[in-house]
């Protein structure tokens, strides 16, 4: 019951935060330089003032700013995210089409980076001061310091161009009609390089955080007491050290969910992955305000949901932590 009350309170707070984000994003985008009507007119090959006025009137861009804001917020409350000036489609349809590939990419990278990072962090902490600890630390630092786009391009050069093992771009093979398991296998092959690029960067963060946290916990009094009682080292590692050391990693994982979505813009652009990150990049270039606002709203809602899940996971990992405390 206490947990349900906490979740309800956090959901209400999340809605308030989301409304604030919608208003702030709307005002910031409208203050940015550039006129979507001028972009559309330029692409249509017509730039006379009458045509520009017709475009602004057609998409409501000639109304006062507050009137546009009120209309946008009212439409959002009815799940109407507006219309894309550039692609001539409802924004909801574009987001519904692009969101699943992004969730597949970021979800895969999130799980892989967390599992691999915690595993490497535990190995480094158990062998602290040895060559394997130094090797894991150097590799983690290398991938943390290397830009995402560079790792992606080098992966394409090695595994696609040189070895020919994996496809370089897209989410599925073009011109080939596949169904069932063959289609899933094809998507899986296309997923390897972009997911690996995102995984390597975030894995490095989790590995370093797990190592540092375990080294801090392993010398605390309750761990020494367990050793004095004759508990075997494996049980001490799992039940006493890792269980307490994992809490900072859970915190970082919740915060990194937002960075994963942000990093997906670079990775989706490099690998031509048809997700909302690439949609946002195209919307910025085309001054497609409604699409950009829709992407911001969806990603903000996902980050708020992940942070709520992180708080609930806290209480499951360590029952001593009270929800809402």
């Amino acid at each position: 019951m206490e947990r349900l009350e906490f979740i309800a309170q956090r959901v209400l707070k999340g809605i308030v935060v989301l409304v604030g984000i919608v208003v702030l994003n709307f005002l910031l985008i409208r203050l940015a330089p550039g006129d979507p009507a001028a972009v559309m007119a330029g692409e249509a090959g017509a730039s006379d003032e009458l045509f520009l006025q017709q475009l602004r009137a057609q998409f409501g861009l000639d109304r006062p700013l507050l009137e546009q804001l009120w209309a946008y917020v009212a439409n959002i409350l009815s799940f109407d995210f507006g219309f894309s000036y550039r692609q001539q489609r409802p924004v909801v349809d574009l987001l519904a089409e692009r969101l699943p590939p992004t969730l597949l990419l970021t979800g895969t990278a999130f799980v892989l980076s967390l599992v691999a990072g915690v595993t490497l962090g535990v190995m480094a902490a158990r062998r602290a001061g040895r060559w394997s600890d130094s090797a894991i630390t150097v590799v983690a630092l290398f991938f943390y310091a290397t830009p995402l786009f560079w790792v992606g391009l080098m992966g394409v050069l090695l595994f696609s161009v040189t070895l020919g093992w994996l496809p370089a771009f897209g989410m599925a093979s073009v011109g080939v009609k596949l169904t069932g398991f063959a289609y899933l296998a094809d998507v899986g092959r296309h997923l390897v390089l972009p997911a690996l690029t995102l995984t390597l960067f975030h894995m490095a963060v989790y590995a370093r955080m797990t190592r540092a946290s375990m080294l801090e916990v392993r010398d605390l009094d309750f761990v020494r007491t367990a050793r004095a009682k004759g508990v075997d080292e494996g049980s001490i590692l799992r039940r006493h050290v890792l269980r307490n050391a994992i809490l900072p990693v859970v915190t970082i994982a919740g915060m990194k969910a937002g960075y994963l979505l942000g990093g997906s813009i670079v990775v989706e652009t490099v690998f031509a992955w048809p997700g909302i990150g690439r949609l946002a990049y195209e919307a910025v270039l085309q001054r497609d305000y409604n699409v950009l606002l829709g992407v911001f709203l969806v990603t903000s809602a996902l980050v708020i949901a992940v942070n709520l899940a992180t708080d609930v996971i806290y209480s499951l990992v360590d029952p001593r932590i009270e929800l809402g405390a």
Side-chain angles (χ1 to χ4, degrees):
M1 190 64 185
E2 181 186 355
R3 182 164 295 158
L4 290 177
E5 289 179 3
F6 170 78
I7 292 174
Q9 290 176 0
R10 289 298 302 270
V11 169
L12 288 176
K13 290 179 182 176
I15 292 173
V16 173
V17 171
L18 208 54
V19 171
I21 290 173
V22 168
V23 173
L24 187 62
N25 285 336
F26 183 91
L27 295 176
L28 288 176
I29 286 182
R30 286 301 192 276
L31 291 175
D35 184 356
V39 174
M40 286 184 285
E43 292 176 351
S47 57
D48 58 282
E49 188 58 32
L50 179 59
F51 186 60
L52 288 174
Q53 290 178 2
Q54 289 175 345
L55 286 176
R56 293 190 185 105
Q58 180 181 353
F59 295 107
L61 298 171
D62 58 342
R63 300 178 192 170
L65 184 61
L66 291 180
E67 187 178 336
Q68 291 183 46
L69 173 61
W70 175 254
Y72 181 72
V73 174
N75 289 335
I76 288 295
L77 294 177
S78 60
F79 296 98
D80 179 4
F81 289 13
F83 197 79
S84 169
Y85 313 133
R86 176 68 176 80
Q87 306 199 38
Q88 296 293 304
R89 294 178 59 189
V91 175
V92 170
D93 291 351
L94 290 171
L95 293 175
E97 183 179 292
R98 298 295 191 95
L99 186 58
T102 294
L103 291 179
L104 175 64
L105 173 61
T106 55
T108 304
F110 181 78
V111 173
L112 289 178
S113 60
L114 195 56
V115 172
V118 171
T119 303
L120 290 175
V122 171
M123 292 172 60
R126 293 192 67 177
R127 296 169 174 78
R130 302 180 187 175
W131 70 268
S132 53
D133 172 34
S134 300
I136 291 173
T137 303
V138 168
V139 170
L141 186 60
F142 173 79
F143 285 114
Y144 184 70
T146 307
L148 277 174
F149 75 89
W150 182 254
V151 175
L153 290 175
M154 292 302 102
V156 170
L157 189 62
L158 176 62
F159 295 105
S160 300
V161 178
T162 304
L163 300 175
W165 290 352
L166 296 168
F169 306 108
M171 185 177 172
S173 298
V174 178
V176 180
K177 191 173 183 180
L178 300 173
T179 57
F181 181 77
Y183 174 74
L184 294 177
D186 187 50
V187 172
R189 291 183 68 245
H190 285 79
L191 178 64
V192 172
L193 280 179
L196 194 61
T197 302
L198 268 180
T199 296
L200 289 174
F201 175 81
H202 295 281
M203 176 198 71
V205 177
Y206 299 140
R208 291 176 64 81
M209 176 59 70
T210 303
R211 178 185 180 277
S213 187
M214 286 194 66
L215 290 178
E216 183 179 345
V217 172
R218 72 176 185 178
D219 292 326
L220 295 180
D221 290 342
F222 67 92
V223 178
R224 292 178 180 174
T225 302
R227 286 200 179 95
K229 288 181 178 178
V231 180
D232 65 277
E233 199 61 30
S235 296
I236 292 175
L237 181 69
R238 291 191 304 273
R239 298 175 58 184
H240 297 283
V241 179
L242 183 58
R243 190 169 183 178
N244 287 278
I246 202 70
L247 289 175
V249 181
V250 173
T251 305
I252 294 295
M255 295 171 63
K256 282 291 177 184
Y259 288 104
L260 265 174
L261 291 168
S264 70
I265 295 177
V266 177
V267 174
E268 288 178 4
T269 304
V270 169
F271 291 98
W273 188 264
I276 59 172
R278 190 175 166 208
L279 181 66
Y281 176 72
E282 294 167 352
V284 169
L285 295 181
Q286 298 160 355
R287 303 289 192 276
D288 202 339
Y289 291 163
N290 286 338
V291 172
L292 205 53
L293 289 170
V295 171
F296 288 160
L297 177 60
V298 170
T299 53
S300 301
L302 288 174
V303 171
I304 290 172
V306 170
N307 277 276
L308 172 60
T310 303
D311 289 341
V312 175
I313 290 172
Y314 267 147
S315 65
L316 298 177
V317 174
D318 189 347
R320 294 172 300 177
I321 297 177
E322 296 181 8
L323 290 174

